[in-house]
Amino acid sequence: MADSVAQRIEQLRSEIDDHNYRYYVLDEPAVPDAEYDRLMRELQDLETKHPNLVTPDSPTQRVGAMPSNTFESVTHRVPMLSLDNAFSAEELTDFDRRVRDRLKREDTVEYVAEPKLDGLAVSLHYEDGLLVRAATRGDGYTGEDITANIRTIYSVPLRLRGKGWPAMVEVRGEVYMPKAGFEKLNQDLTDRGEKTFVNPRNAAAGSLRQKDARVTARRPLELCTYSVAVENESDLPDKHWDCIQKLKDWGFRINPEMRKATGVEECLKAYEDLLELRNDLPYEIDGIVFKVNELALQRELGFVSRAPRWAIAQKFPAQEEMTVVEAVGFQVGRTGAVTPVARLKPVFVGGVTVSNASLHNMDEIERLDLHVGDTVIIRRAGDVIPQVVKVLPEKRPKDAQEVKRPERCPVCDSEVVQLEGEVVARCSGGLYCGAQQREAIKHYGSRRAMDIEGLGEKWIDILFDRGMVKNVADLYKLTVDDLKTLERMGEKSASNLVDAIAGSREPELWRFIYALGIREVGEATAKGLAAHFGDLQPLMDADEDALQTVPDVGPVVAGHVHLFFDQPHNQEIIEALKEAGVHWKKDERAEGASPLAGKTFVLTGTLSQMTRDEAKEKLEALGAKVSGSVSGKTSYVVAGEAAGSKLTKAESLGVPVMTEDDFIAFLDNPGT
């Protein structure tokens, strides 16, 4: 038994030392914090039960890992010790009881509650108000000199503000990277094809330990301070809270979420309040730190070998965890995007049990080098969909399988295509695909498409969920009797909706093209296609080369249009619409023969006799192009009331300007 315990202790020490080296020296963490915490707590428990097996080199006897030899070493005058952790209300209550027992007091103790930022602990030394040295925590006794890098952080004062500060001041705090800065940094690294960071804490540590301070200067780092020390204790207030306010006076950032808490009940309330706020904060936190407020009581309580007795960190539920990818499935979104999803061995993370995680696209799978069977680190923050952030290839089993993109849609069995230059693969089923039909119906009936009044999203959801409408053609089969069966749909409302649907049977061609929901085909493109081909069948028959002869239609749009009309499923839906009585008005304009073909108009200001949209439609019906900006190629500017910079620019360029009355008269005789 004793041998097996000793072997387990040695195994744990070896694993923890390896994780320390990866995190602090290589900046490449191999496991999430929760896994590291479990290993450390198991070792602590075993050493508590078997004190004869404790050795000086055990990870429990020091704070962290040895510093990297790429920076000069700095010995801390006062050790930068770590904090003991509490993982439950019971453990926090036990901490408060120990504090009061040691102080021999029955009344409540006042604490300061501080968010525990997820970054890198640093020590800053000021002499006569000037920053002279900065160091990392390192192993708690010896850190690394990072003065040049710290000086690049704008939230670090190079000279203390105000007056009255002692000759020597040591300030301790956390260097961290805000969430927004982390996202932008990773995106920039991805764009350059470089390795990304797993989380903001890792990004902050990696950025601060750059040998070239110019690299650090480009990283969005911040400093938040949490303690101060001086040579003469009488130079500081007698409470921790007041010391932190001194730091604020001297030009340092302190955390605005700090608060005082008297007694353990208020501490527990502070924990719950901060946990609720956690995901709305612009930075990562992994818990809350409670410190006895009175410095005299802190001194009376003292330290154990690696942590103060007067402080504790109550940890939040882990947002990162380690688990295994058991399979990879594919989901189809409302736009046809085929998205891979990792099916995970269930794991508790971020306060819930997670069994699925987003993989975004096949490029992401390739970047991660993810295989089915891999051990991965997943991350979940609040309501954010869990994501796989790292694969641990050293744990990959021999029978791990590569992930391949499906050739057919898992919903409708249509072909899955990925156009050149696009990251996302998509189902080509369009109006036929069940995953896309609901959104296709909503788009079809929208105001700018077929403009079916009364057919809102709520009714579409109800009709779709009840199976009364499966595709856009089914709308025309609805009867008053059908609709009357729906809750809150009276006969009058049902009759109005049936009439509105019937009224959409004769749309303009461009509206019908737009209503089909072809990718990248907006109103302007739909109008251009209608004007060019005049009817739907020539458009359906056109190849990509013919489509690219339409103004403003390039190879990407041409590819989408051709693919849409080439799918038998979409052809079936269009035929069903014809059978339901939908027949569009042919566009009689021949390309180049319209009265305003080749003319570009700009509308500015407020029109009193029509809306800007109505004016735009009238111009486009006459073959004109309506632009949002004025240039030397603009034919006319129509200026309503309160016209601004566009009118000024038109006058400076000599572009003809029409008043609203001029414009209405012009529409009556546009050929002149």
Side-chain angles (χ1 to χ4, degrees), residues 59-90:
T60 62
Q61 304 304 299
R62 62 180 184 178
V63 177
M66 291 299 293
S68 165
N69 58 12
T70 59
F71 293 87
E72 290 187 14
S73 295
V74 173
T75 300
H76 301 302
R77 295 185 191 179
V78 178
M80 292 183 70
L81 302 181
S82 61
L83 298 174
D84 283 334
N85 292 323
F87 291 88
S88 66
E90 290 76 14

Side-chain angles (χ1 to χ4, degrees), residues 448 508-514 521-534 539 550-553 587 589 591 594 612-626:
R448 293 186 175 277
E508 295 175 74
L509 177 60
W510 74 265
R511 279 189 178 275
F512 183 73
I513 295 171
Y514 175 65
V521 176
E523 293 174 72
T525 302
K527 289 172 181 177
L529 292 169
H532 185 87
F533 291 101
L539 172 60
V550 179
D552 298 326
V553 174
D587 196 313
R589 295 173 292 167
E591 182 66 18
S594 301
R612 293 260 289 270
D613 282 345
E614 289 170 343
K616 180 180 178 182
E617 287 188 11
K618 290 179 183 296
L619 286 168
E620 289 177 337
L622 294 168
K625 178 180 178 181
V626 179

